Amino acid sequence: MAKYLLKRLAYIIVSLFFIITITFFLMQAAPGGPFASEKKLTPALEEQMNEAYGLNDPLYEQYFNYLVNAFTFDFGPSFKYVGQDVIEIITRSFPYSLILGIESILIALSIGVLLGVIAAVKHNKFGDYTAMVIAVLGISVPSFIMATVLQYIFAIKLGALPVARFESFAHTILPAIALATTPLAFIARLMRSSMLDVLNSDYIKTAKSKGLGQRVVTYKHGLRNAILPVVSYLGPLVVSILTGSFIIESIFGIPGLGSEFVVSVTNRDYTVIMGTTVFFSVLLLVSILLVDLLYGLVDPRIKVAGKGGK
Amino acid sequence: MALPQLKDSDFEPLQINDEEAEKIAGESTSYWKDAWRRFRKNKLALFGIVMIVLLGIMSFIGGPISGHNYFDNDLLNANKSPSGEHWFGTDNLGRDIFARTWYGAKISLFIGLMAALIDLVIGIIWGSIAGYFGGKVDEYMMRVADVLYGVPYLLVVILLMVILPQGLWTLIIAMTITGWINMARIVRGQVMQLRSEEYVMASRSLGASNTRLLFKHLVPNTMGPILVTLTLTIPNAIFTEAFLSFLGLGVPAPLASWGTMSSDALQSLQYYPFQLFFPAFFICLTMLAFNVIGDGMRDALDPKERK
């Protein structure tokens, strides 16, 4: 187990190293320096700025410094917002994204699993078709369209929920639903097909012939085994929620990390772009590792460590 | 349940006919014929194909039949609701939304197909070589893919779009840089399964070269899963394009894509919701069509799904 964990951690570090290197050199190759836009600076001032931000050092030195700093989560100061460090921006905005993300993961998981189970239990009946129509539509409607439609109907036309911002629980409902749509549909489909597999297996027949009720058989015997593919989907789920947040947060005006990233892209605020990219990557890589470990716990038949673990 | 009435004649031996014995009852079907037969039964998937064909045709004739083009500004007629003159209305610069929608269809379909094709070519080459040679080659090639796979897809695409000059091909390149990995993994898995089959051994003992074995025998036999992955890649690419355009990183103006149109319409959503409706509707319809085709293909081509 320890060996497996070490190997995975090594992978993460290699991936991260790779990401940091790519982002660094991509940003170097980017057209226009950080101070190129807006007001024209006097040459002397620009020289002073470059000196202050370390842009006059040779490239390899800048790269090396960046690499060392990145591993201590020090991404340097923002180029656009004077006096703010990238890490400050991240710590300020991340909690919003975290709350929103957790909410939508909960929505996607609970409703997705429920729809999938209904579809499997009512196989080829009305319930199945309804659930699957919802699922196919959910996959086909991109999150940003879902978001605008929800915003238009519930906030603008009906006035039932707030249009934007992030102040109370009511503010989070629409964005969380919009963010959850696509993963919800995926989970429903996954759940349906694995539940169908499980319900046709022998031990379910045994349980039924023992005289157990439909409910006990479905929920106690079936669900526990059928939910495994959903557990392995949790990694991609986190990815999907995170990237979805870029647009959803912008649409709903939520000051989270996703919209911060989008703003930094539009502003060409290189240090913030690099910092958030690295931060997102760490988050993703770690959560995928956690999901793999969790999978081993949920399903004792699977030894994540491969041959070892005797 | 009543038993069928049996007569004495039912117990007499049948006449033996040597010619009849060799006859094969059903018409012999190939893998593809069989798959097509199953696919045809899937009404939803057929609907998807019809939709895509219609969208394809409209993307070429839609502009001309409306009598407008996608880039002419007409500020006097800005933000008009759908009418006899402008079938889908006009946008904030007075451009005809009908013409723009079909021009957007062309762009979206082109990006989707192109990205999927490039993924396909790179994925097949990479995956089949790794799977076929195995051992160290496989180890190194797949390690590269693993590391790239750990890099969040959309972040890379966004980074590239920031750096590279905006344009159609930039978008396609950005999407394929990490997009091929999925395809490569699937091809590799398939090739690894197949390479120890007897027909491969037979061909090898007849002196076939590696290239011939790979591309004449192995790759054609993995076509089923490859095609399914391909069809499911297309809606993904279309979505990514719309997503990036929505963020303002997509195709540059005045080119129209459904993503840019939706994002433009968002500003005046409160007053002119129809401007968002049309592009959004067609994004959803296209993704729906490709998704149901992909599902239908998986059911038809995946031997595990056979009943």
Side-chain angles (χ1 to χ4, degrees), chain A residues 292-306:
Chain A
D292 284 354
L293 293 178
L294 182 73
Y295 201 72
L297 285 182
V298 177
D299 187 359
R301 287 171 302 179
I302 291 173
K303 287 270 180 289
V304 273

Side-chain angles (χ1 to χ4, degrees), chain B residues 35-68:
Chain B
W36 169 239
R37 188 176 53 78
R38 264 173 283 140
F39 186 82
R40 227 171 18 189
K41 279 197 207 133
N42 190 335
K43 291 281 178 304
L44 209 55
L46 283 183
F47 160 81
I49 292 214
V50 171
M51 275 300 126
I52 295 301
V53 170
L54 279 182
L55 280 171
I57 294 174
M58 281 308 282
S59 72
F60 284 100
I61 65 164
I65 61 170
S66 71
H68 296 278

Side-chain angles (χ1 to χ4, degrees), chain A residues 11 15, chain B residues 141-151 181 185:
Chain A
Y11 256 104
S15 287
Chain B
M141 288 179 90
M142 278 300 132
R143 195 86 354 137
V144 172
D146 279 348
V147 170
L148 276 177
Y149 199 71
V151 181
I181 297 170
R185 290 183 150 193

Side-chain angles (χ1 to χ4, degrees), chain B residues 72-257:
Chain B
D72 266 354
N73 294 357
D74 180 4
L75 290 172
L76 289 177
N77 280 318
N79 294 324
K80 283 273 185 293
S81 296
S83 64
E85 171 67 16
H86 298 284
W87 296 338
F88 286 179
T90 59
D91 67 4
N92 59 342
L93 294 174
R95 295 174 293 197
D96 184 60
I97 292 184
F98 187 80
R100 283 178 76 72
T101 301
W102 298 116
Y103 188 79
K106 209 185 279 178
I107 298 237
S108 287
L109 290 176
F110 179 74
I111 288 178
L113 290 174
M114 246 11 228
L117 270 181
I118 297 176
D119 281 358
L120 176 79
V121 173
I122 305 178
I124 284 187
I125 295 175
W126 195 274
S128 59
I129 291 177
Y132 179 73
F133 291 103
K136 276 272 173 292
V137 179
D138 178 40
E139 178 108 340
Y140 290 129
M141 288 179 90
M142 278 300 132
R143 195 86 354 137
V144 172
D146 279 348
V147 170
L148 276 177
Y149 199 71
V151 181
Y153 168 71
L154 215 56
L155 286 177
V156 178
V157 177
I158 290 177
L159 284 182
L160 283 172
M161 294 302 291
V162 172
I163 310 305
L164 300 169
Q166 282 201 357
L168 205 57
W169 282 101
T170 310
L171 200 59
I172 293 174
I173 291 170
M175 284 201 276
T176 44
I177 270 188
T178 52
W180 58 273
I181 297 170
N182 196 22
M183 184 64 88
R185 290 183 150 193
I186 284 169
V187 176
R188 170 178 171 267
Q190 289 286 319
V191 168
M192 280 180 99
Q193 264 180 26
L194 290 177
R195 69 172 174 188
S196 47
E197 294 272 321
E198 275 92 357
Y199 67 84
V200 178
M201 208 197 289
S203 183
R204 184 178 293 142
S205 55
L206 285 170
S209 69
N210 280 335
T211 335
R212 188 185 158 79
L213 270 176
L214 255 179
F215 294 105
K216 198 91 192 168
H217 294 289
L218 288 172
V219 170
N221 277 303
T222 60
M223 263 313 165
I226 290 178
L227 268 182
V228 175
T229 319
L230 188 70
T231 2
L232 293 173
T233 312
I234 298 174
N236 241 334
I238 292 178
F239 167 74
T240 311
E241 184 273 325
F243 188 94
L244 290 172
S245 299
F246 200 86
L247 285 182
L249 289 170
V251 292
L255 294 186
S257 92

Side-chain angles (χ1 to χ4, degrees), chain B residues 259-273:
Chain B
T260 44
M261 289 171 72
S262 317
S263 136
D264 289 346
L266 193 62
Q267 269 112 50
S268 48
L269 178 69
Q270 201 165 349
Y271 311 105
Y272 313 110

Side-chain angles (χ1 to χ4, degrees), chain B residues 268-291:
Chain B
S268 48
L269 178 69
Q270 201 165 349
Y271 311 105
Y272 313 110
F274 65 90
Q275 289 181 352
L276 177 71
F277 173 78
F278 293 108
F281 174 76
F282 284 106
I283 295 176
C284 300
L285 187 68
T286 314
M287 287 186 51
L288 179 74
F290 276 113
N291 277 323

